[in-house]
């Protein structure tokens, strides 16, 4: 059986790895000149770590230690107990540079399965794909081409979340985990392997605003926040700071499947990052799709199973992500933020460690052992 995966990001590569374990021949089409992890860092919750384990992929994950939620001046709002988190969730919270995760997944695939500079120009529901460089007839097409997927109906629009995001990676040994809130703003700090630190900022502004000098803009708005935030901004070259408005899929899809096409990751359920589950849900999609293809006797039955198992869960996580932003870092009303912070200050650190256990407790289905290479 032949599968074409459109998109060489986390979800697409993971799907390709899983399908190969199930015995499929896979071709990954990536329109960029090379497959690389565009972005900065990513948090991997236990549900995503279990997916990597099932896929047989070992990535350089950084275990996160105790941290907490603070205000912009560094005053504690609530703590976070890493040991309690691991007890309740089954595994620790981890982080990884997106580049390292993509590289790890790509290395799990034979080089000949990956075609770069291959922009898809035509797709049909019967499995036909035309791209710059050739055409293929597949038994399955995996649409993992991101939030602006060409595989969705043009009426299925994305919606601006209300926040823009800045992201970067700085080298700063000894920087601890932290999240800080102010009215309409959040700054997160996640240690990565090798003493690098991933930081992100979400900020409530109008869509489309683009500062001419990103470093000056960030220093103006966030230079008076507590340590180590100003130092992280200073240590990140301006040309390496990413800036994107945060969008999500406003109307949930009624199906993740059309003909022989399966939508996966942001193409199926783009969500804002306020629960840290975007990449995690893409990994879940990949494993469930590969499992369905290895257990059902027809592609259509497998696609139906994939849609039934993934749509309800991933769309709930997407809704919860939107809501988490509204009551958390996107809250701007001064009275509401004061009340929220007061309630959080009364919450014990061990109790905050339970948050998200319903999502992170998900366990992936098993996949077949890796299929050995074919001999002539």
């Amino acid at each position: 059986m032949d599968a074409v995966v459109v998109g060489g990001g986390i979800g697409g590569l993971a799907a390709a790895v899983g399908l190969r374990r199930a015995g499929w021949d896979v071709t990954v089409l990536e329109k960029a000149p090379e497959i690389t992890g565009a972005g900065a860092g990513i948090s991997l919750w236990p549900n995503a770590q279990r997916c990597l384990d099932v896929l047989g992929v070992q990535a350089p994950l950084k275990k996160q230690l105790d941290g907490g939620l603070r205000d912009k001046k560094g005053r504690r709002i609530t703590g976070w107990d890493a040991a309690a988190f691991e007890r309740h969730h089954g595994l620790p919270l981890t982080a990884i540079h997106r580049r390292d995760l993509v590289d790890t997944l790509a290395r799990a695939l034979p080089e000949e399965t990956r075609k770069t500079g291959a922009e898809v120009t035509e797709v049909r529901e019967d499995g036909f794909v035309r791209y710059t460089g050739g055409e293929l007839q597949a038994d399955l097409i995996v649409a993992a081409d991101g939030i602006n997927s060409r595989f969705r109906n043009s009426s299925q629009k994305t919606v601006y979340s209300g926040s823009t995001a800045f992201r970067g990676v700085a080298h700063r040994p000894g920087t601890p985990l932290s999240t800080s809130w102010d009215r309409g703003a959040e700054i997160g700090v996640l240690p990565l392997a090798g003493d690098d630190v991933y930081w992100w900022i979400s900020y409530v502004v109008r869509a489309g605003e683009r500062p001419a000098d990103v470093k000056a803009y960030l220093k103006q708005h966030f230079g008076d926040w507590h340590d180590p935030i100003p130092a992280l901004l200073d240590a990140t070259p301006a040309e390496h700071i990413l800036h994107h408005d945060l969008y999500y899929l406003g109307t949930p899809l009624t199906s993740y499947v059309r003909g022989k096409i399966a939508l996966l990751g942001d193409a199926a359920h783009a969500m804002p990052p306020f629960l840290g589950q975007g990449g995690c849900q893409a990994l879940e999609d990949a494993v469930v799709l590969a499992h369905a293809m290895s257990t059902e006797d027809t592609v259509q039955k497998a696609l139906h199973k994939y849609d039934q198992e993934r749509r309800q869960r991933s769309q709930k996580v997407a809704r919860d992500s939107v809501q988490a932003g509204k009551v958390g870092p996107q809250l701007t009303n001064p009275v509401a933020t004061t009340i929220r912070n007061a309630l959080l200050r009364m919450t014990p650190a061990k109790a905050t460690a339970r948050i998200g256990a319903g999502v992170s407790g998900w366990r992936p289905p098993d996949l077949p052992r890796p299929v050995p290479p074919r001999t002539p």
Side-chain angles (χ1 to χ4, degrees):
M1 303 292 281
D2 297 300
V4 171
V5 177
V6 182
I10 292 171
L13 292 173
V17 173
L19 288 168
R20 278 185 53 81
R21 289 192 69 136
W24 283 63
D25 290 327
V26 181
T27 301
V28 178
L29 302 178
E30 169 56 49
K31 68 178 180 179
E34 60 180 340
I35 292 178
T36 184
I42 181 174
S43 59
L44 286 186
W45 287 63
N47 50 317
Q49 296 170 51
R50 295 186 189 102
C51 290
L52 293 179
D53 184 59
V54 165
L55 291 169
V57 171
Q58 293 185 336
L61 305 179
K62 175 70 172 180
K63 180 178 178 179
Q64 302 300 301
L65 303 178
D66 291 348
L69 181 64
R70 308 180 188 183
D71 65 16
K72 64 180 290 186
K73 297 301 182 185
R75 294 171 296 201
R76 180 184 182 275
I77 297 176
T78 186
W80 182 79
D81 187 322
F85 180 96
E86 190 166 351
R87 287 196 303 272
H88 288 294
H89 297 252
L91 288 168
L93 178 66
T94 64
I96 187 173
H97 197 297
R98 189 178 292 266
R99 173 199 61 219
D100 294 338
L101 180 55
V102 168
D103 287 349
T104 300
L105 289 167
R107 286 197 303 271
L109 295 168
E111 186 175 354
E112 62 270 17
T113 67
R114 312 189 307 264
K115 296 183 182 297
T116 56
E119 183 174 2
V120 173
T121 57
E122 182 184 355
V123 175
R124 296 200 301 255
E125 293 183 18
D126 65 358
F128 176 80
V129 179
R130 179 176 285 119
Y131 63 97
T132 51
E135 57 186 47
L136 294 166
Q137 183 67 44
D139 301 289
L140 169 68
I141 300 173
V142 181
D145 56 337
I147 188 171
N148 296 314
S149 174
R150 61 173 293 154
F151 293 85
R152 290 197 309 264
N153 188 295
S154 59
S155 64
Q156 295 162 330
K157 302 292 187 181
T158 56
V159 176
Y160 181 52
S161 70
S163 294
T164 197
F166 300 88
R167 294 172 292 156
V169 174
H171 187 74
R172 198 170 187 275
T175 303
L177 168 75
S178 69
T179 302
S180 305
W181 284 352
D182 193 33
R183 283 181 287 172
E186 174 184 57
I187 300 182
V189 176
L190 273 174
L192 303 176
D195 290 327
D196 283 340
V197 180
Y198 165 49
W199 59 264
W200 78 89
I201 296 172
S202 72
Y203 189 38
V204 174
V205 294
R206 291 191 301 270
E209 290 191 7
R210 289 294 178 272
D213 186 331
V214 67
K215 291 272 280 201
Y217 180 89
L218 293 176
K219 286 186 177 183
Q220 175 189 352
H221 290 279
F222 309 106
D224 62 343
W225 284 48
H226 66 83
D227 291 334
I229 291 166
L232 290 172
L233 298 179
D234 287 337
T236 308
E239 62 271 21
H240 294 165
I241 295 175
L242 303 174
H243 181 198
H244 298 95
D245 290 339
L246 300 176
Y247 283 81
Y248 65 95
L249 199 56
T251 303
L253 303 185
T254 56
S255 177
Y256 288 177
V257 171
R258 191 174 72 250
K260 293 183 177 181
I261 302 170
L263 278 78
L264 183 148
D266 283 348
H269 47 67
M271 63 188 71
F274 300 118
L275 289 181
Q277 279 290 322
C280 300
Q281 291 301 302
L283 288 169
E284 288 189 13
D285 291 346
V287 172
V288 170
L289 179 63
H291 178 261
M293 291 297 164
S294 70
T295 54
E296 298 298 322
D297 57 3
T298 70
V299 170
Q300 288 307 314
K301 287 181 181 179
L303 287 172
H304 177 74
K305 182 177 181 179
Y306 166 72
D307 181 59
Q308 291 296 304
E309 292 190 12
R310 289 305 303 152
R311 187 154 41 90
Q312 182 176 1
R313 172 173 165 79
S314 59
Q315 289 179 352
K316 182 181 187 307
V317 174
R319 290 193 302 271
D320 290 348
S321 297
V322 174
Q323 186 61 27
K326 290 179 179 179
V327 301
Q330 293 183 306
L331 199 60
T332 58
N333 182 283
V335 175
T337 54
T338 298
I339 294 172
R340 177 201 64 196
N341 291 355
L343 292 172
L344 288 172
R345 286 190 178 96
M346 293 186 291
T347 306
K350 291 184 178 180
T352 62
R354 298 190 185 98
I355 295 173
V359 174
S360 71
W362 183 88
R363 294 183 178 276
D366 289 331
L367 292 179
R369 292 181 178 272
V371 176
R374 294 177 179 175
T375 55

